Amino acid sequence: MTSERALLRHHGDVDAAPGLVDFAVNVRLPRPPAWLRDRLVAALDDLGRYPSDLADLTARRTVAARHGRTPEEVLVLAGAAEGFALLPVLRPVLAAVVHPSFTEPEVALVDAGVPVHRVLLRAEDGYALRPELVPDEADLVVIGNPTNPTSVLHPAAAIAALARPGRVLVVDEAFADTLPDEPESLSGQRLPGLLVLRSLTKTWGLAGLRAGYLLGDPALLARLAHHRPQWPVGSLVLEAVTACCEPAAVAAARRIAEETAPHTDHAARALADLLVVPPRAPFLLLDVPGGAEVREALRGKGIAVRRGDTFPGLTPDHLRVATRPPAEFDLLVDALRVALEER
């Protein structure tokens, strides 16, 4: 029997086997755009040297300028997932993880022996945040916004209300830049114990590079970084973070988000009868009768979708699908309708 830990460590890349049309992974591009590849290629000549303090400072300055912060409020990461792996260093007494959501935070905390309370949001509430469900005694709270896999965007004020002295509030904003103007982001706010996690993966096709960063109080970031090895991120990561946070790239990301928002609207209309909640991010959570069988049927037709039952609070009938341009997404819609009829 598959262990619960193994289920929590199941991600969309497992579903998206080679040769399948991929609606399982929420990465917009199969590869970085040409301008970003050129920047990374140019940085290859520096790989004979260790990553420099100057390169790290340049990256942090660029991120800081992008979010209205100081460089001391930025910690560059080897992928956003590293931010979750660092959380046990804070030695929380009780962690509250808001679900359904990305499961790596819970895995990292449980593996470190940290007690975890699952705050389960409900479909009948539209998976809206209910702050009263978060235990008062929780000194670490983790929430995604927009949330993977529900595609719900919580009001920033509701999340900010969870912050208090003596508590670390971690907001996973890995998908924030996929929304035009990044509504409800807390990336520029300074609240007690607030940590905001950002990823470059989704917009820029950098899943294989592992590049992200944390924003927060310098003292809190110093605690997280204290036991990291020397040179914790490589030169290519530092270059990618710098490049993707420069004004031209930020403007480009905004345009991309504006251009792809209609794709999400089209997908939601096409699958309205299966949609659990209206999507805000470029992926949909579906409730599909016989979901596990349908997922396998789609796989037989050469299409990959993300299983939902590995997310706490969801069932085998839940499937997550990434949005794509309408012509491409309609291939999934047609195959899904056929699979449902065949049942």
Side-chain angles (χ1 to χ4, degrees), residues 64-76:
R66 187 239 191 279
H67 293 288
R69 289 180 171 268
T70 67
E72 293 73 28
E73 294 176 294
V74 179
L75 182 66
V76 180

Side-chain angles (χ1 to χ4, degrees), residues 62-148:
T62 308
V63 172
R66 187 239 191 279
H67 293 288
R69 289 180 171 268
T70 67
E72 293 73 28
E73 294 176 294
V74 179
L75 182 66
V76 180
L77 300 171
E82 188 198 6
F84 299 128
L86 294 175
L87 293 179
V89 172
L90 302 177
R91 298 183 179 179
V93 175
L94 175 66
V97 181
V98 180
H99 285 296
S101 67
F102 187 56
T103 51
E104 284 301 313
E106 179 168 325
V107 171
L109 293 163
V110 170
D111 281 354
V114 176
V116 171
H117 175 87
R118 289 180 174 175
V119 179
L120 292 174
L121 305 182
R122 303 184 306 182
E124 51 265 39
D125 294 332
Y127 293 112
L129 175 60
R130 297 177 60 193
E132 71 274 13
L133 296 180
V134 178
D136 288 338
E137 63 271 26
D139 55 348
L140 175 68
V141 178
V142 184
I143 184 170
N145 205 39
T147 301
N148 170 24

Side-chain angles (χ1 to χ4, degrees), residues 193-214:
L194 175 65
L195 290 172
V196 177
L197 186 66
R198 300 294 292 248
S199 169
L200 303 178
T201 295
K202 320 307 175 189
T203 293
W204 298 118
L206 291 173
L209 186 59
R210 314 308 307 133
Y213 52 88
L214 271 170

